[in-house]
């Protein structure tokens, strides 16, 4: 079907696609699956919770029998507070995830940790994510940094369009090594995008973001991606001691 | 005075109604149905004016089944205890022929909102059956004790009354082990008929692996919410089954036309509880 000038007047345009967006937008070659966890902790327990997580998460991370790694672990500083955010990578996709799960069920240390942790929590929420092919894979980095997690609730059906624009936009946002990772949800809330950024501090975040507007093309990307968003949220997060992203 | 004013008033009312319809059509970009020319073909989002409640047009009329879905957010430290207690009580109610209700399935959320139990009940005989159960439960001392015990373990509860789409199969018990995916769609109000029209066709692309379990829409609680329940052997098989749908001609068209009807969507992966008839 040919697009006429008339049809082009409508902002809400969804092109018919021929494949699942998970297939079109994700890194195919490495078959990584990510899990993001949001734990809302009882305010009086946050310190004890962090201490409890430190050892257990690191042990799972370093144990070669588990095909998963801790990408980063944080406390929310601005946004929803008294919250811990953990990002895990499963090398080998769904089978790796299932393997870890079934091994953890028999891991006594983990089960004890879980029941201890249960007493400190208000609620938990998680999502399974794939990474955008045009973002770099997150690798450990030295600190100190602050991290910003920008979460976008897109209008259903607009993921491909989002991907097309950001594949170009990401070029404008690498100058200060700020881009850490870009993900979209597969299970949990759908049509969610998470962009993870690292900055030296809040001032450097401000300067870096302002600098993007000096690049020709950035304004255009913002102009075209903003109408795709239903809701967006930004969290400033502080890495925990054991986080590989510091 | 009254006698002459009435026809005029009636005319005014009719004119007013027509103006409203016209304004609504123009606002949403509809063309006149009798004039389906190049203009109307430009719009993806087309809703036909309907002549009946969507609950009547879309649901299974012959069975008069009513469904209730319950979401229980449990205090994380009580999850196990909650499961044990629910298992016992639900099993009893499910088998008691005095109660015209059955447990269709009972799960814990694995991915999505965690520390959550989801229960799906069927009332054979519609609203009177629901009322009968409620009345009997209020006199059931064992149940009242359970409720009291349970309330100590809960953070919050939410429920919805549902009808099932006529073109989905009725959920029947299945043996496991399976994982279940509950996909919940918040539609734009007014688009349920259109959703039904597209899914009546789309459902046939999604049966090959015996994955379709049930399709429901809300009658009470959050409105214009659709729940699709799917079963898969595991997450990998889910991935492959869903990918295979894209190989079929017609699936892409269904996705293209249903996506603009959605305001928000959510997917939960759920693990069946011990007593769940859907395993």
């Amino acid at each position: 079907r040919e697009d006429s000038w008339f049809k082009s007047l409508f902002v809400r345009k969804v092109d018919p696609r021929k494949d699942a967006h998970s297939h079109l937008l994700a890194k195919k070659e490495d078959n990584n699956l990510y899990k993001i966890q949001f734990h809302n902790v009882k305010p009086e327990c946050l310190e004890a919770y962090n201490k409890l997580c430190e050892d257990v998460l690191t042990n799972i991370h370093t144990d070669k029998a588990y095909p998963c790694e801790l990408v980063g672990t944080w406390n929310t500083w601005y946004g929803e507070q008294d919250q811990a955010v953990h990002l895990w990578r499963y090398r080998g996709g769904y089978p790796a995830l299932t393997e870890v799960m079934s091994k953890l069920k028999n891991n006594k240390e983990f089960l004890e940790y879980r029941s201890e942790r249960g007493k400190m929590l208000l609620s938990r929420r998680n999502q399974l994510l794939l990474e955008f092919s045009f973002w770099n894979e997150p690798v450990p980095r030295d600190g100190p940094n602050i991290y910003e997690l920008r979460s976008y609730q897109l209008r259903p059906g607009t993921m491909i369009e989002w991907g097309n624009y950001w594949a170009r936009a990401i070029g404008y946002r690498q100058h200060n090594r700020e881009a850490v990772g870009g993900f979209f949800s597969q299970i949990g809330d759908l049509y969610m995008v998470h962009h993870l950024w690292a900055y030296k501090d809040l001032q450097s975040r401000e300067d870096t973001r302002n600098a993007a507007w000096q690049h020709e093309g950035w304004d255009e990307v913002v102009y075209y991606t903003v109408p795709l968003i239903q809701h967006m949220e930004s969290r400033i997060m502080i890495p925990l001691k054991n986080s590989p992203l510091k | 005075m009254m006698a002459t004013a009435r026809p005029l008033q009636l005319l005014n009312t009719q004119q007013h109604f027509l103006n409203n319809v016209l304004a609504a059509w123009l606002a949403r970009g509809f063309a006149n149905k009798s004039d389906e020319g190049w203009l109307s073909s430009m719009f993806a989002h087309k809703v036909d004016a309907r002549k009946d409640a969507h609950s009547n047009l879309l649901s299974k009329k012959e069975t008069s089944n009513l469904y209730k879905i319950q979401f229980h957010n449990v205090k994380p430290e009580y999850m196990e205890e909650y499961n044990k207690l629910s298992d016992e009580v639900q099993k009893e109610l499910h088998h008691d022929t005095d109660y015209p209700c059955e447990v269709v399935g009972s799960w814990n959320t694995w991915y999505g909102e965690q520390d959550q139990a989801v229960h799906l009940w069927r009332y054979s005989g519609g609203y009177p059956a629901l009322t009968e159960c409620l009345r009997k439960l209020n006199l059931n001392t064992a149940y009242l004790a359970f409720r009291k015990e349970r309330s100590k373990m809960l953070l919050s509860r939410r429920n919805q009354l549902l009808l099932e789409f006529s073109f989905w199969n009725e959920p029947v018990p299945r043996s496991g082990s399976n994982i279940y995916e509950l996909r919940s769609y918040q539609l734009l109000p007014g688009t349920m008929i259109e959703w039904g029209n597209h899914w009546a066709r789309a459902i046939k692309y999604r049966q090959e692996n015996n994955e379709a379990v049930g399709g429901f829409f809300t009658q009470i609680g959050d409105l214009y919410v659709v729940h699709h329940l799917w079963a898969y052997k595991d997450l990998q098989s889910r991935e492959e089954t869903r990918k295979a749908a894209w190989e079929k001609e017609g699936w892409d068209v269904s996705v293209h036309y249903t996506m603009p009807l959605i305001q928000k969507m959510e997917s939960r992966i759920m693990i069946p509880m011990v007593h769940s008839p859907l395993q």
Side-chain angles (χ1 to χ4, degrees):
Chain A
R1 252 174 279 165
E2 215 176 302
D3 280 4
S4 69
W5 65 273
F6 190 74
K7 198 174 168 197
S8 72
L9 294 180
F10 299 91
V11 181
R12 187 84 204 270
K13 198 175 82 179
V14 184
D15 289 326
R17 53 189 157 102
K18 294 289 165 220
D19 202 348
H21 72 239
S22 60
H23 205 222
L24 292 170
L25 291 174
K27 290 200 168 110
K28 273 183 267 303
E29 65 284 9
D30 16 88
N31 194 21
N32 283 340
L33 184 71
Y34 289 82
K35 181 172 77 180
I36 194 164
Q37 304 177 296
F38 299 96
H39 289 176
N40 292 310
V41 183
K42 293 178 187 162
E44 72 269 29
C45 297
L46 190 61
E47 246 173 84
Y49 170 92
N50 284 340
K51 218 166 148 254
L52 188 70
C53 287
E54 218 172 273
D55 293 337
V56 180
L57 300 191
T58 308
N59 286 351
I60 297 170
H61 172 68
T62 47
D63 193 334
K64 289 224 164 49
Y66 292 86
C68 66
E69 320 154 53
L70 191 58
V71 177
T73 167
W74 302 268
N75 279 168
T76 303
W77 184 25
Y78 291 107
E80 251 187 300
Q81 292 181 279
D82 302 306
Q83 185 181 64
V85 180
H86 309 291
L87 184 64
W88 292 88
R89 182 194 292 121
Y90 296 87
R91 294 202 186 274
Y94 290 112
L97 179 79
T98 311
E99 184 186 338
V100 170
M101 204 53 70
S102 62
K103 280 182 178 164
L104 284 179
K105 260 190 225 152
N106 300 314
N107 179 332
K108 242 182 87 193
E109 186 199 13
F110 180 77
L111 294 177
E112 267 166 40
Y113 153 76
R114 249 205 1 196
S115 85
E116 200 54 38
R117 187 186 67 182
K119 297 173 197 156
M120 305 175 179
L121 291 180
L122 284 172
S123 67
R124 298 187 298 154
R125 200 156 53 85
N126 62 10
Q127 294 166 2
L128 291 182
L129 312 172
L130 294 175
E131 60 190 328
F132 284 114
S133 55
F134 44 89
W135 279 73
N136 291 324
E137 190 178 301
V139 288
R141 61 169 78 193
D142 289 330
N145 292 296
I146 59 163
Y147 288 79
E148 181 178 15
L149 184 68
R150 291 174 78 87
S151 305
Y152 304 88
Q153 173 70 60
L154 300 190
R155 290 173 193 278
T158 59
M159 190 63 81
I160 303 278
E161 209 177 337
W162 178 273
N164 284 342
Y165 287 116
W166 266 95
R168 251 183 300 146
I170 191 67
Y172 308 122
R173 299 297 310 279
Q174 314 255 21
H175 291 262
N176 218 348
R177 274 193 74 230
E178 68 262 38
V180 179
F183 311 94
F184 58 98
S185 60
Q186 278 295 93
I187 289 174
D189 284 323
L190 296 182
Y191 283 97
M192 286 280 313
V193 168
H194 296 290
H195 287 176
L196 185 61
W197 308 93
Y199 304 100
K200 210 167 64 52
D201 52 32
L202 285 170
Q203 185 58 47
S204 132
R205 167 182 176 276
E206 186 66 13
D207 298 339
T208 306
R209 288 174 55 83
N210 280 344
W213 290 92
Q214 309 300 327
H215 295 292
E216 214 184 295
W218 174 249
D219 55 342
E220 198 183 315
V221 169
V222 172
Y223 179 79
Y224 284 112
T225 50
V226 165
L228 312 179
I229 305 170
Q230 245 168 13
H231 182 79
M232 58 190 279
E233 188 187 358
S234 155
R235 261 188 194 82
I236 301 290
M237 313 187 298
I238 307 292
L240 293 179
K241 235 189 277 171
N242 59 327
S243 177
L245 284 167
K246 288 202 196 330
Chain B
M1 191 65 188
M2 278 298 282
T4 52
R6 257 190 96 187
L8 196 65
Q9 196 192 0
L10 196 68
L11 205 68
N12 275 338
T13 315
Q14 278 175 349
Q15 189 58 49
H16 185 65
F17 172 71
L18 284 176
N19 282 343
N20 278 346
V21 169
L22 194 66
W25 277 12
L26 288 175
R28 300 176 81 171
F30 299 157
N32 192 330
K33 191 85 170 74
S34 61
D35 179 27
E36 267 198 85
W38 64 276
L39 187 68
S40 97
S41 68
M42 302 255 119
F43 299 93
H45 190 169
K46 201 172 78 177
V47 184
D48 290 324
R50 55 185 157 105
K51 299 281 169 229
D52 201 351
H54 71 239
S55 58
N56 257 344
L57 292 170
L58 291 174
S59 68
K60 292 199 168 115
K61 272 184 269 304
E62 64 285 6
T63 53
S64 90
N65 281 340
L66 184 69
Y67 289 82
K68 180 172 78 181
I69 194 162
Q70 304 176 296
F71 299 97
H72 289 174
N73 292 309
V74 182
K75 292 179 187 164
E77 68 266 40
Y78 286 118
M79 200 64 228
E80 256 170 73
E81 220 174 310
Y82 169 94
N83 282 343
K84 236 177 103 195
L85 195 66
S86 307
D87 265 338
E88 286 168 30
V89 176
Q90 292 201 345
K91 220 179 334 182
E92 227 160 276
L93 283 180
H94 177 71
H95 289 301
D96 192 335
T97 48
D98 206 22
Y99 289 84
C101 66
E102 331 155 49
V103 186
V104 178
S106 253
W107 301 269
N108 283 165
T109 304
W110 183 23
Y111 290 106
E113 248 185 304
Q114 294 180 281
D115 301 308
Q116 186 180 64
V118 180
H119 307 288
L120 184 63
W121 292 85
R122 182 193 292 121
Y123 297 88
S124 310
Y127 290 111
L130 179 78
T131 313
E132 184 186 339
C133 280
L134 203 62
R135 196 173 40 80
K136 284 181 177 164
L137 284 177
N138 274 334
L139 303 167
N140 179 332
T141 49
Y143 179 78
L144 293 176
F146 156 70
R147 257 215 348 202
K148 199 161 162 223
E149 201 51 41
R150 189 186 65 181
S151 68
K152 296 177 197 154
M153 307 176 183
L154 292 179
L155 282 171
S156 64
R157 298 187 298 154
R158 200 156 51 85
N159 61 11
Q160 293 165 357
L161 291 184
L162 313 173
L163 294 175
E164 60 190 327
F165 284 113
S166 54
F167 45 88
W168 279 73
N169 290 327
E170 191 177 304
V172 287
R174 59 170 81 194
S175 51
S177 60
N178 294 296
I179 58 162
Y180 288 80
E181 181 178 18
L182 182 68
R183 291 174 78 86
S184 305
Y185 304 87
Q186 174 70 60
L187 300 189
L188 296 173
T191 60
M192 190 62 81
I193 302 279
E194 203 179 343
W195 178 271
N197 284 342
H198 288 298
W199 266 97
R201 249 174 299 145
I203 189 67
K204 67 169 183 285
Y205 307 120
R206 300 299 310 281
Q207 315 253 27
E208 312 265 306
N209 220 346
N210 196 13
E211 70 261 38
V213 179
F216 311 93
F217 59 96
T218 51
Q219 279 295 96
I220 290 179
D222 285 325
L223 295 182
Y224 283 98
V225 171
V226 167
H227 296 291
H228 287 177
L229 184 62
W230 307 94
Y232 303 101
K233 209 168 63 52
D234 53 32
L235 285 169
Q236 184 61 36
S237 129
R238 167 185 175 274
E239 186 66 12
E240 284 156 15
T241 308
R242 288 175 54 83
K243 251 183 203 144
W246 288 92
E247 310 290 320
K248 308 217 177 91
E249 215 183 295
W251 174 249
D252 56 342
V253 176
S254 297
V255 172
H256 178 70
Y257 284 113
T258 50
M259 274 297 160
L261 313 180
I262 305 169
Q263 237 165 23
K264 188 167 157 34
M265 58 193 277
E266 189 188 357
S267 151
R268 264 188 192 78
I269 299 290
M270 312 186 300
I271 307 290
M273 287 168 62
V274 179
H275 72 277
S276 175
L278 285 168
Q279 278 297 327

